[in-house]
Amino acid sequence: MSSTEIRLQAGKDETPRKPTVALALGAGGAKGLAHIGAIEELEAQGFEIVAIAGCSMGALVGGIHAAGKLDIYRDWVCSLDKFDILKLVDWSFSFAGGGLIKGEKIIGTMLELVGDVQIENLPIAFTAVATDIEREREIWLTRGSLFDAIRASIAIPTLFRPHLIDGRVLVDGGLLNPVPVTPLIRESADYVVAVSIDGPAEANLPVEMSANEAKSKGGIGRLLERLLPGSEIKAIGPRKAHELGALELLGQSLDLMQANLSRLRLAAYQPDLLVQLPRNVSSVYAFHRARTLIESGRDKMRSSLEAWQPRPR
């Protein structure tokens, strides 16, 4: 998009300057892998990302990008199959501690893969959004360990154990701010761009196929179905089309809650560009579909930029 380049006069020479973007990345579980393609396309179109605020999976992808390691993470996650993903899940096999998954193995793997850093030392301003469940308030994590902040932001209630930071019990930021535009208002960027995976559902997407596939072939969905209260092992096999398992019901409930909350928050704090992927683009645990999800994010960012008429800066 050559039309987006901003040229600054410097004496007799014109020095091209990329338009700067403060980027909000929303929650969505595995669907948040679409953020990788969205980021890569945004930069390929000539924009410079100078600040990121992320929630849940948006915090993970955004934090890794802020650390300059997104290519490493992308190549790694695209190499995973369902069984590799299961190896990363450290089950507690009870709700002791507040969640079925401890989360230590996942974060440990991320530390080995991309390393940790203090948020305040990142080359890109970064905010991870979490929820203080006891004080019932939104928390913006802008200092301290990057992966401590990410671990707090991804702590989906009942699935991941809450994370303690400075005595606060923190869980998924999507409970209060699924697409965190508000932390970016203070940033000096030309544009605020938000990527949401809470958009209206679209027909003809192969979501049900991927969800059923995960259960029938021993994926994380099947194991969670067996562990969640109220689900029966005999119900794990093929179901009638209208029947929902415990995990599917939980996923759809979270999607509906976050979609409605996102609409309210985005109406109050509108970004310059909102890029929306349909909330049924994938199930929340389909990490084995990384390549497809990344390309979905890339395609949606490209089409959104083509239709966008940015205001002059």
Side-chain angles (χ1 to χ4, degrees):
M1 286 175 59
S2 58
S3 61
T4 64
E5 289 190 351
I6 301 172
R7 297 185 176 274
L8 302 177
Q9 187 70 28
K12 294 182 180 180
D13 299 324
E14 287 187 345
T15 303
R17 179 174 74 84
K18 293 180 179 180
T20 57
V21 165
L23 182 64
L25 300 176
K31 296 181 287 185
L33 292 172
H35 292 317
I36 298 174
I39 288 171
E40 291 179 342
E41 183 63 24
L42 186 62
E43 293 188 328
Q45 294 281 0
F47 292 88
E48 179 185 0
I49 300 170
V50 296
I52 297 174
C55 173
S56 197
M57 193 64 185
L60 190 148
V61 172
I64 291 175
H65 179 65
K69 303 294 182 66
L70 189 61
D71 56 339
I72 295 173
Y73 177 72
R74 179 200 62 220
D75 294 344
W76 173 79
V77 78
C78 286
S79 71
L80 300 178
D81 60 25
K82 296 187 202 66
F83 296 103
D84 293 325
I85 294 164
L86 285 172
K87 293 175 185 176
L88 295 172
V89 181
D90 44 0
W91 305 101
S92 65
F93 295 103
S94 75
F95 282 97
L100 287 169
I101 300 172
K102 300 174 185 176
E104 296 170 3
K105 188 179 292 187
I106 295 171
I107 293 300
T109 301
M110 293 297 97
L111 289 171
E112 292 178 3
L113 190 68
V114 304
D116 199 8
V117 67
Q118 297 295 295
I119 295 174
E120 57 268 30
N121 295 332
L122 292 170
I124 296 175
F126 176 70
T127 303
V129 177
T131 300
D132 184 331
I133 196 67
E134 293 181 333
R135 294 176 175 85
E136 301 179 355
R137 65 181 63 176
E138 180 181 336
I139 299 295
W140 297 354
L141 300 168
T142 59
R143 300 184 64 82
S145 163
L146 173 63
F147 277 99
D148 258 354
I150 289 172
R151 174 62 182 84
S153 188
I154 66 172
I156 301 172
T158 73
L159 293 184
F160 282 95
R161 287 182 177 177
H163 193 59
L164 291 175
I165 297 181
D166 297 331
R168 296 174 297 188
V169 181
L170 303 182
V171 297
D172 195 325
L175 293 181
L176 295 178
N177 197 353
V179 187
V181 171
T182 43
L184 300 173
I185 295 174
R186 61 191 175 182
E187 301 293 342
S188 57
D190 294 324
Y191 304 106
V192 174
V193 175
V195 183
S196 168
I197 316 189
D198 295 319
E202 293 183 1
N204 303 319
L205 289 178
V207 177
E208 291 304 320
M209 178 182 68
S210 62
N212 290 335
E213 180 186 61
K215 285 193 287 292
S216 65
K217 293 187 178 181
I220 189 171
R222 183 175 180 181
L223 284 177
L224 284 173
E225 286 282 10
R226 300 179 71 165
L227 291 167
L228 286 173
S231 61
E232 298 180 4
I233 293 178
K234 66 181 181 181
I236 293 169
R239 296 192 186 96
K240 296 178 181 178
H242 67 277
E243 291 181 332
L244 291 177
L247 184 66
E248 291 169 294
L249 181 59
L250 174 62
Q252 289 191 23
S253 299
L254 288 173
D255 284 347
L256 180 60
M257 176 193 72
Q258 290 188 356
N260 281 280
L261 183 53
S262 293
R263 282 196 293 270
L264 292 173
R265 295 295 297 255
L266 290 170
Y269 300 97
Q270 296 183 6
D272 296 292
L273 174 64
L274 175 60
V275 179
Q276 281 190 310
L277 282 88
R279 61 178 178 269
N280 64 333
V281 69
S282 169
S283 60
V284 297
Y285 51 83
F287 286 91
H288 61 284
R289 299 186 63 224
R291 293 183 186 276
T292 299
L293 290 166
I294 290 169
E295 289 309 309
S296 295
R298 192 188 315 278
D299 292 344
K300 184 60 71 171
M301 178 61 77
R302 183 183 300 120
S303 61
S304 297
L305 289 172
E306 288 173 352
W308 184 38
Q309 295 183 340
R311 51 183 169 77
R313 300 296 299 186

